[in-house]
Amino acid sequence: MFLLKLLQIMFFLVLGYLLYQVIRFFFTLGKGTRDARKKMEEQVRRGRNPGTRGRNDDKIIELDKDQYKVD
């Protein structure tokens, strides 16, 4: 009887610990997502679009199909 109670207490302790770890994981995941979103919004606010990766679209010259450019 004593051994059964001890196993039951250990089971609930392990279950509680696992539940605690899962909740902590989701809070950490949410914090990381929030930080990444803030960083991206800051880059957009500064005028740096993170999707362009350094391209400068205002220097692109569009030509017709029969035109060409020699540098």
Side-chain angles (χ1 to χ4, degrees):
M1 189 70 176
F2 175 74
L3 187 60
L4 186 62
K5 274 292 197 191
L6 185 63
L7 286 175
Q8 186 178 13
I9 291 172
M10 288 179 58
F11 174 76
F12 283 121
L13 286 175
V14 169
L15 187 66
Y17 178 74
L18 288 176
L19 185 62
Y20 168 74
Q21 289 296 325
V22 168
I23 291 171
R24 195 175 110 196
F25 170 75
F26 282 120
F27 275 110
T28 305
L29 186 67
K31 182 177 183 255
T33 304
R34 184 178 60 236
D35 291 345
R37 185 179 301 137
K38 282 183 182 180
K39 184 177 179 182
M40 183 178 283
E41 287 175 0
E42 179 68 23
Q43 286 180 351
V44 169
R45 189 181 64 80
R46 288 183 181 172
R48 292 177 40 206
N49 190 351
T52 59
R53 293 188 182 178
R55 292 186 316 201
N56 199 353
D57 291 336
D58 59 345
K59 293 183 180 178
I60 295 175
I61 301 171
E62 294 185 17
L63 303 173
D64 293 334
K65 64 180 180 179
D66 56 346
Q67 291 178 332
Y68 59 93
K69 181 181 178 200
V70 178
D71 287 322

